[in-house]
Amino acid sequence: MKARLQITRDGAVLHSGVYDIDDADDFGKACARAWSALRERQLSQETSIGALMENLDRSVLDLLAGAEITVAAVR
């Protein structure tokens, strides 16, 4: 089944993607891809190598604190 996984925080969409989810393994993979996309975006916004190194240990968990994750079927 196709499903939209969306992550929002304070009314802003942090991530939205459509994934094929048929079982727990597929759901885990969709969450991992969302995590990777958030991490990649976070790192790509750094302005210099120094800033990147300073924030490299900053976790995606900080970004997700207080976020809402929804899953809805896509037809």
Side-chain angles (χ1 to χ4, degrees):
M1 149 173 110
K2 290 225 182 263
R4 176 172 305 282
L5 180 108
Q6 185 166 319
I7 303 169
T8 58
R9 180 176 170 193
D10 299 328
V13 176
L14 301 177
H15 176 78
S16 184
V18 175
Y19 304 95
D20 285 315
I21 300 175
D22 293 315
D23 55 27
D25 187 53
D26 291 340
F27 181 72
K29 288 176 184 175
C31 289
R33 286 192 294 262
W35 180 282
S36 294
L38 288 170
R39 182 68 165 162
E40 188 175 312
R41 186 181 74 192
Q42 189 179 42
L43 295 177
S44 72
Q45 292 175 346
E46 297 300 345
T47 56
S48 68
I49 294 296
L52 174 66
M53 295 307 289
E54 199 171 292
N55 292 320
L56 195 57
D57 65 342
R58 198 170 125 220
S59 176
V60 174
L61 286 176
D62 294 338
L63 183 64
L64 293 176
E68 182 176 302
I69 300 172
T70 58
V71 178
V74 175
R75 298 180 192 260

